[in-house]
Amino acid sequence: MKKVIVFAGSNSKKSINKQLATYASELLENTTIELLDLNDFSLPVFGVDLEEEQGIPENAIKFLDKIKSSNGIILSLAEHNGAYSAVFKNLFDWMSRAEQKTFMNKPMLLMAASPGGRGGASVLAIAKDRFPRHDAKIIEVFSLPFFGTNFLDGKIIDDTLNLELTTKVKEFNKAI
């Protein structure tokens, strides 16, 4: 059976992106899901001096091992000030020092949710540009605007947006 790792680029316990990623994973068929929480992979703030003194932290290696052992990735990025959240950027920095091809050509469903109307458009643009340079195989991209209006009781309640996500999940499922 195929295995997909699912996580949000956030360390918020109430992360809307974790809720979206979880919902998307529930739409997959014939797949084992491993829901990851960035809080379980605590890391010091990246610095070249720290890396030289102590090497790559074990939690960065553990996260890379999760990617390596999967058949695909569902990632929903939080947008902070138009870019990645600090916790995700820090993890990404550490992992890329250990393995330049961080995403190992694993099929990826890349998403973002936001409380506003842009749906994480800025962070998605950054990721779509940056991630392929780290061997991401982005199959589909989905943006969920107005999370508080469009998501209720663990699912997307707007029919058009839900159909869009369902269609993209099916394409991702074919790629894994």
Side-chain angles (χ1 to χ4, degrees), residues 152-171:
L152 185 64
D153 296 327
K155 62 184 178 191
I156 296 174
I157 58 172
D158 178 278
D159 291 338
T160 303
L161 288 168
N162 196 53
L163 178 60
E164 179 185 349
L165 177 60
T166 301
T167 301
K168 291 181 178 199
V169 167
K170 285 179 183 175
E171 290 304 309

Side-chain angles (χ1 to χ4, degrees), residues 83-102:
Y84 309 125
S85 69
V87 69
F88 177 79
K89 178 67 166 76
N90 192 50
L91 172 65
F92 186 46
D93 286 345
W94 276 116
M95 288 192 311
S96 70
R97 298 297 286 193
E99 189 88 41
Q100 178 65 32
K101 300 299 184 183
T102 311

Side-chain angles (χ1 to χ4, degrees), residues 15-24 27 75-79 109-124 141-166 168:
S15 170
I16 62 176
N17 283 284
K18 187 172 186 178
Q19 293 175 60
L20 176 60
T22 300
Y23 175 63
L27 300 173
L75 168 56
S76 190
L77 292 168
E79 183 177 287
L109 171 58
L110 178 62
M111 302 184 298
S114 76
R118 291 183 32 94
S122 295
V123 75
L124 286 174
V141 177
F142 178 76
S143 171
L144 181 62
F146 300 115
F147 183 86
T149 304
N150 290 319
F151 197 93
L152 185 64
D153 296 327
K155 62 184 178 191
I156 296 174
I157 58 172
D158 178 278
D159 291 338
T160 303
L161 288 168
N162 196 53
L163 178 60
E164 179 185 349
L165 177 60
T166 301
K168 291 181 178 199

